[in-house]
């Protein structure tokens, strides 16, 4: 493993970048690896005078989850970080690593199969087991994107900085999901160095929920985060994002527009089903999606317990 201390040197060095290593070690690629821990300026949360926030890409998920100010300024992101994995994994996993991890598809991770993700030209999941596959199609690959933090940052309208580039929306890391060979769009040698969040919105309430197969420490079947700013009997701001259902984390503009137009929470949540095209095995995800969206809307609106 190569350990470097300069961003420019790291960008020129051949090898797969390693941060916390929680996903890299599970996949065990052949290497070589380039350890990023020695690089300066990539860790910690920096609050600016205007209330905006800079998160270094090597900041651990535990740091994010434990930051008291973040819980008030960006509660949806804090709640998402608190729900990830286990305390042991949160202690070493990094924010950048979570954003750039590879998908969990069992066909991609099984060396007996060839797929778009490992150099093949097909998606064996489509003719195989699709129980955990994407229910909103955006391209040939049906493996859901695995990053919960990307979903929350999408709802927060965060931007990211890649070494050698200017800031860009977090969604630009993933595009539209139509490239079946990639879980993110960074090229060889490109390094994610930080994430920027805008100043907090006064009066914001937020909620996060993941539907999982056991009580904790499980990858979500469907997850959602909602940010709402109530305004009398209506809603002045609505941001709703979902994960576990498509090749990229997604905002749900149809749900947001319905909320701003004054539709009841259940009718607004039901609009998420319109873009779903389930297989014979994962139709349950449609109901799970609308139910999860309704759950976070009710929590954020104060109708149910568990919001912030």
């Amino acid at each position: 493993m190569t350990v470097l201390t300069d961003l420019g040197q790291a960008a020129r060095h051949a090898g797969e970048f390693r941060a916390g290593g929680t996903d890299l070690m599970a996949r065990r690629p052949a290497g070589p690896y380039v350890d990023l821990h020695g690089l300066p300026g990539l860790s910690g949360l920096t609050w600016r005078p205007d209330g905006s926030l800079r998160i270094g890409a090597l900041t651990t998920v535990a740091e994010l989850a434990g930051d008291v100010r973040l819980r008030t300024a960006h509660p949806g992101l804090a709640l998402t970080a608190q729900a990830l994995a286990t305390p042991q994994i949160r202690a070493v996993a990094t924010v950048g690593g979570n954003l750039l991890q590879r998908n969990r598809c069992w066909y991609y991770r099984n060396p007996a199969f060839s797929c778009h993700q490992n150099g093949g030209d097909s998606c064996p999941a489509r003719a195989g087991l699709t129980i955990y596959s994407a229910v909103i199609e955006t391209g040939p690959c049906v493996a859901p994107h695995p990053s919960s933090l990307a979903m929350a940052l999408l709802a927060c309208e965060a931007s990211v900085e890649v070494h050698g580039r200017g800031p860009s929306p977090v969604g630009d890391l993933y595009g539209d999901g139509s490239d079946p060979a990639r879980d993110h769009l960074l090229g060889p040698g490109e390094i994610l160095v930080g994430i920027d969040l805008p100043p907090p919105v006064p009066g914001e309430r937020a909620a996060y929920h993941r539907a999982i197969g056991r009580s904790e420490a499980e990858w979500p079947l469907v997850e959602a985060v909602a940010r709402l700013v109530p305004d009398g009997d209506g809603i002045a701001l609505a941001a709703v994002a979902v994960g576990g259902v498509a090749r990229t984390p997604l905002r749900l503009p149809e749900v947001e527009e319905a909320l701003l137009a004054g539709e009841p929470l259940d009718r607004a949540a039901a609009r998420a089903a319109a873009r779903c095209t389930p297989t014979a095995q994962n139709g349950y995800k449609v109901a799970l999606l609308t139910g999860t969206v309704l759950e976070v809307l009710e929590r954020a609106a104060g109708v149910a317990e568990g919001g912030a």
Side-chain angles (χ1 to χ4, degrees):
M1 180 183 296
T2 302
V3 180
L4 304 173
T5 58
D6 175 77
L7 271 171
Q9 183 187 14
R12 294 188 298 271
H13 202 283
E16 186 163 2
F17 295 127
R18 179 186 183 276
T22 55
D23 177 55
L24 186 68
M25 294 299 99
R27 291 188 289 111
R28 298 183 182 276
Y33 308 137
V34 180
D35 196 294
L36 299 177
H37 280 95
L39 298 178
L42 299 188
S43 298
L45 286 77
T46 303
W47 294 93
R48 303 186 181 98
D50 66 351
S52 62
L53 171 63
R54 168 77 166 186
I55 303 171
L58 293 185
T59 304
T60 67
V61 176
E63 290 177 79
L64 206 62
D67 191 271
V68 175
R69 187 170 176 179
L70 185 70
R71 297 175 190 175
T72 301
H74 299 285
L77 177 59
L79 289 167
T80 303
Q82 291 163 19
L84 287 183
T86 65
Q88 295 88 346
I89 291 176
R90 291 194 294 270
V92 295
T94 66
V95 174
N98 185 273
L99 298 183
L100 303 177
Q101 66 185 295
R102 300 305 304 270
N103 72 78
R104 315 303 300 183
C105 178
W106 45 33
Y107 292 99
Y108 159 58
R109 292 184 178 243
N110 188 330
F113 291 92
S114 173
C115 75
H116 294 295
Q117 293 278 315
N118 59 24
D121 58 1
S122 66
C123 177
R126 287 185 175 275
L129 296 174
T130 59
I131 186 171
Y132 300 127
S133 297
V135 74
I136 298 175
E137 287 206 37
T138 58
C141 177
V142 295
H145 198 275
S147 177
S148 298
L149 294 184
M151 175 201 63
L153 291 169
L154 195 64
C156 291
E157 300 185 342
S159 61
V160 295
E161 181 186 346
V162 176
H163 176 62
R165 297 193 207 168
S168 60
V170 66
D172 286 0
L173 282 177
Y174 311 111
D176 62 5
S178 60
D179 186 340
R182 308 178 73 179
D183 290 317
H184 60 77
L185 301 183
L186 293 190
E190 291 193 308
I191 302 172
L192 177 68
V193 296
I195 301 96
D196 288 283
L197 282 84
V201 178
E204 175 182 327
R205 293 180 57 84
Y208 167 80
H209 183 67
R210 57 172 46 197
I212 56 179
R214 59 187 181 186
S215 62
E216 58 186 13
E218 182 62 279
W219 295 95
L221 301 168
V222 175
E223 59 184 339
V225 63
R227 300 172 56 223
L228 301 178
V229 175
D231 182 17
D233 293 332
I235 294 174
L237 179 148
V240 182
V242 293
V245 294
R247 282 293 296 133
T248 69
L250 294 176
R251 284 278 292 266
L252 297 180
E254 62 272 37
V255 175
E256 298 168 357
E257 292 165 6
L259 293 168
L260 295 175
E263 285 195 12
L265 300 184
D266 57 346
R267 286 177 53 189
R271 290 182 177 272
R275 64 168 79 182
C276 294
T277 55
T279 69
Q281 297 175 3
N282 68 0
Y284 74 95
K285 275 198 174 188
V286 180
L288 201 58
L289 170 61
T290 57
T292 302
V293 171
L294 179 58
E295 178 75 16
V296 294
L297 292 181
E298 289 182 338
R299 289 186 185 182
V303 177
E305 297 295 327

